[in-house]
């Protein structure tokens, strides 16, 4: 049970961290010349944000059934 709470807290932090980082890196990439732009990391952060969001919902449902 404690492990699920810790994992939920980390995913909650990820929900805040990943979109903000993706926005910041996207703005940084837009300031580069168009030949050297790479949006791989912002896209990766958005995917991780979605994984954290779905994972947090799953964890909440599991802990809700335990109680």
């Amino acid at each position: 049970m404690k492990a699920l709470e810790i994992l939920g807290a980390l995913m909650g932090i990820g929900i805040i961290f990943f979109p903000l980082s993706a926005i910041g890196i996207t703005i940084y990439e837009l300031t580069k010349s168009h030949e050297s732009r790479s949006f791989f990391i912002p896209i990766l952060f958005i995917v991780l944000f979605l994984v954290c969001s779905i994972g947090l919902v799953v964890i909440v449902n599991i802990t809700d059934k335990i109680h």
Side-chain angles (χ1 to χ4, degrees):
M1 185 67 182
K2 190 70 172 172
L4 287 176
E5 292 174 1
I6 293 171
L7 189 60
L10 291 175
M11 288 189 177
I13 292 169
I15 288 174
I16 301 299
F17 173 76
F18 290 128
L20 293 176
S21 297
I23 291 170
I25 293 173
T26 301
I27 292 170
Y28 171 72
E29 291 292 333
L30 289 173
T31 60
K32 291 182 177 179
S33 64
H34 69 280
E35 291 91 12
S36 63
R37 288 182 186 165
S38 172
F39 293 102
F40 175 73
I41 294 176
I43 291 172
L44 178 67
F45 280 169
I46 295 300
V47 169
L48 289 173
F49 163 71
L50 294 173
V51 168
C52 284
S53 300
I54 293 169
L56 193 58
V57 169
V58 170
I59 288 174
V60 167
N61 286 332
I62 289 172
T63 57
D64 201 30
K65 289 181 182 179
I66 291 174
H67 286 119

